[in-house]
Amino acid sequence: MRIVVHDFAGHPFQVQLSRELAANGHSVAHVYLKDLPGPKGPLQRSPGDAPSFRAVPLTLGAPLDKYSMWKRHFAHRRYARALTAFIERERPDVFLSANTPIDVQDHVRGECRRRGIAFVHWMQDLYCMAVRSVLAKKLGSVGGLLARHYDRLERSVCESSDAVVFITPDFLTAASQMGFHPARNYVIENWAPLDDLPPVAKRNSWSKRHGLADKLVFLYSGTLGLKHKPELLYEMAAALEDRSDALVVVVSEGLGRSWLERKLQEAPLKNLLLMDFQPYAAMPEVLGAADVLLAVIEKEAGVFAVPSKVLSYFCAGRPVLLAAPEANLAARTLRRAQAGMAVDPGDTGSFIDAARRLAANPEMRLALADNARRYATTTFDIKSIAARFDAILREAVDGLALPAQTFDPAYSRAATD
């Protein structure tokens, strides 16, 4: 097949899927927005890539302003036009699209339908719920009225796509409760690329260069918005000031990072270190510098946001301390893997207590780290994951129906064995 895998953000595991689909004989264009700030996966060609794989960066000519509602609205319209032009040039058989603002997604879905191209909606977020939360905070009841527009867009995308791939059964349930009825739906949980994120020694060139090799490091890496509760990271660092060996390291950019910068100006902490995003090739050493890896998400975002950074943490073979609602998929996965500790994001005391327990118990950290890597190696099998996507894309192209089902790569591999 001629496949377009469109990932608005350019994240690592989506491009891994594109490479694997190309290795299986398909012609795959992996399309992403070059101008979107944030960490990106390995998007340059490598010697092992199939000849039929290519990464295609689209650009608006300037960085996208994620935090201005109006600027972002007009940027989305320009980006939708860029995708339309790409579709017109390429005429693929099927278009798999993820991490895409729902207004852009709806536009692209319509373009694919007009051209007889199968469209698969890979739902990484319940976009309408996220927008509703943001608009309600900014505009109150007026925001709730505006949010109905995004409800309608999400319904349109779900019900008009040739297939919908949900990353958690929670999204499938929530979509059903909102009255969305896609023709064909599947659940494939996210993963992380094992080979890109091998466990490395704590004492590595990156940790030594930044003075972390001999410290007890609690490290957060990835996007840090206000929904990720940056105040929890500050409070943890403040509570650990009594330990001269402990550092809280935040490798991030964005609103949450800016909040921490302002907070440190008001009330400095010597053990809170802020760093910019690091090159993707450096990530094994960045994550390897940690004794404990951190992930945080606020309670209100727990239904519609799943912090996939936890899965990358598993690959790195480090214990995870997660602040997330108990029902969030990341919290459930962490408990299932027995790879760390999860606490309620509204309970700062429990978050700090968990950090102290992990700091005081190196044997516990080692056991949790082993469990994390073991879960990753037994679950994140890209060959079985790509085989499942391959089948879904073929069914979308053929227009044949398959029953909805939940997919666990570990179960699939066991069945194959």
Side-chain angles (χ1 to χ4, degrees):
M1 294 180 290
R2 291 168 298 148
I3 301 171
V4 171
V5 177
H6 171 240
D7 174 36
F8 187 66
H11 284 158
F13 70 94
Q14 283 93 344
V15 73
Q16 185 194 31
L17 174 64
S18 292
R19 283 186 160 96
E20 188 65 24
L21 290 170
N24 290 344
H26 303 296
S27 176
V28 182
H30 186 90
V31 181
Y32 65 98
L33 176 59
K34 181 180 179 181
D35 308 312
L36 185 67
K40 290 186 169 30
L43 292 159
Q44 302 300 318
R45 279 199 65 85
S46 67
D49 285 342
S52 58
F53 166 81
R54 60 197 168 102
V56 182
L58 298 183
T59 181
L60 302 176
L64 185 143
D65 187 342
K66 296 195 295 183
Y67 305 115
S68 168
M69 186 183 304
W70 291 111
K71 288 181 180 179
R72 184 158 185 167
H73 170 74
F74 289 110
H76 287 182
R77 294 179 66 177
R78 294 199 306 276
Y79 186 62
R81 290 195 293 271
L83 281 172
T84 297
F86 177 81
I87 293 168
E88 177 63 29
R89 290 195 307 272
E90 296 291 325
R91 297 295 179 103
D93 299 309
V94 59
F95 195 103
L96 170 65
S97 188
N99 286 317
T100 306
I102 201 65
D103 50 343
V104 177
Q105 193 83 321
D106 186 59
H107 176 90
V108 174
R109 177 207 53 79
E111 292 297 326
C112 286
R113 169 155 288 196
R114 278 189 283 277
R115 291 171 171 80
I117 298 166
F119 183 85
V120 179
H121 176 40
W122 189 0
M123 185 186 279
Q124 294 284 324
D125 297 283
L126 278 168
Y127 198 88
C128 63
M129 294 180 68
V131 168
R132 182 175 294 279
S133 176
V134 170
L135 291 177
K137 287 181 179 178
K138 288 186 175 182
L139 303 174
S141 58
V142 175
L145 294 174
L146 291 175
R148 293 180 184 176
H149 169 65
Y150 294 95
D151 292 347
R152 289 192 292 271
L153 286 179
E154 192 123 42
R155 177 191 293 272
S156 171
V157 170
C158 279
E159 296 189 343
S160 301
S161 296
D162 296 284
V164 179
V165 178
F166 298 95
I167 66 167
T168 165
D170 300 341
F171 287 1
L172 176 57
T173 300
S176 178
Q177 290 172 345
M178 289 186 288
F180 300 172
H181 302 294
R184 289 181 287 278
N185 58 79
Y186 312 85
V187 176
I188 301 181
E189 292 187 8
N190 285 347
W191 68 96
L194 273 170
D195 293 343
D196 292 357
L197 297 168
V200 301
K202 176 180 173 62
R203 196 170 191 82
N204 59 62
S205 59
W206 189 89
S207 67
K208 288 188 286 187
R209 186 164 64 251
H210 294 284
L212 305 177
D214 299 311
K215 294 290 187 179
L216 178 67
V217 175
F218 291 81
L219 186 141
Y220 181 102
S221 176
T223 302
L224 186 65
L226 295 181
K227 72 176 183 179
H228 299 108
K229 289 186 72 70
E231 60 269 29
L232 270 181
L233 302 176
Y234 180 89
E235 294 297 336
M236 171 190 283
L240 293 174
E241 272 198 303
D242 59 349
R243 292 191 59 131
S244 60
D245 62 334
L247 279 178
V248 176
V249 180
V250 178
V251 182
S252 186
E253 298 170 18
L255 284 181
R257 159 70 182 269
S258 299
W259 185 93
L260 287 171
E261 289 174 345
R262 292 193 299 272
K263 188 67 177 178
L264 285 175
Q265 289 175 352
E266 299 169 5
L269 293 174
K270 292 182 179 179
N271 66 337
L272 178 55
L273 175 64
L274 306 182
M275 303 178 67
D276 292 340
F277 287 130
Q278 301 297 296
Y280 186 72
M283 289 313 296
E285 292 191 339
V286 173
L287 300 182
D291 295 278
V292 178
L293 290 165
L294 305 173
V296 186
I297 192 163
E298 69 175 353
K299 189 172 184 178
E300 289 77 9
V303 176
F304 56 78
V306 179
S308 57
K309 65 171 61 66
V310 170
L311 306 178
S312 297
Y313 290 174
F314 285 0
C315 294
R318 291 296 187 271
V320 179
L321 175 53
L322 169 67
E326 183 178 1
N328 184 271
L329 177 62
R332 299 202 309 269
T333 303
L334 188 65
R335 291 193 296 270
R336 184 169 65 205
Q338 298 181 6
M341 303 175 70
V343 302
D344 188 282
D347 190 345
T348 303
S350 292
F351 190 66
I352 292 169
D353 288 345
R356 288 194 179 280
R357 284 185 61 195
L358 290 165
N361 196 328
E363 293 80 11
M364 177 191 293
R365 297 200 303 269
L366 181 60
L368 295 173
D370 287 345
N371 291 343
R373 180 64 186 183
R374 186 178 302 110
Y375 182 87
T377 56
T378 57
T379 306
F380 303 157
D381 177 14
I382 187 57
K383 292 190 180 301
S384 59
I385 294 169
R388 191 66 186 126
F389 272 99
D390 193 317
I392 291 169
L393 297 176
R394 288 182 187 277
E395 292 293 341
V397 171
D398 293 342
L400 301 176
L402 279 179
Q405 53 191 286
T406 298
F407 172 62
D408 182 327
Y411 298 156
S412 174
R413 185 171 54 262
T416 301
D417 294 343

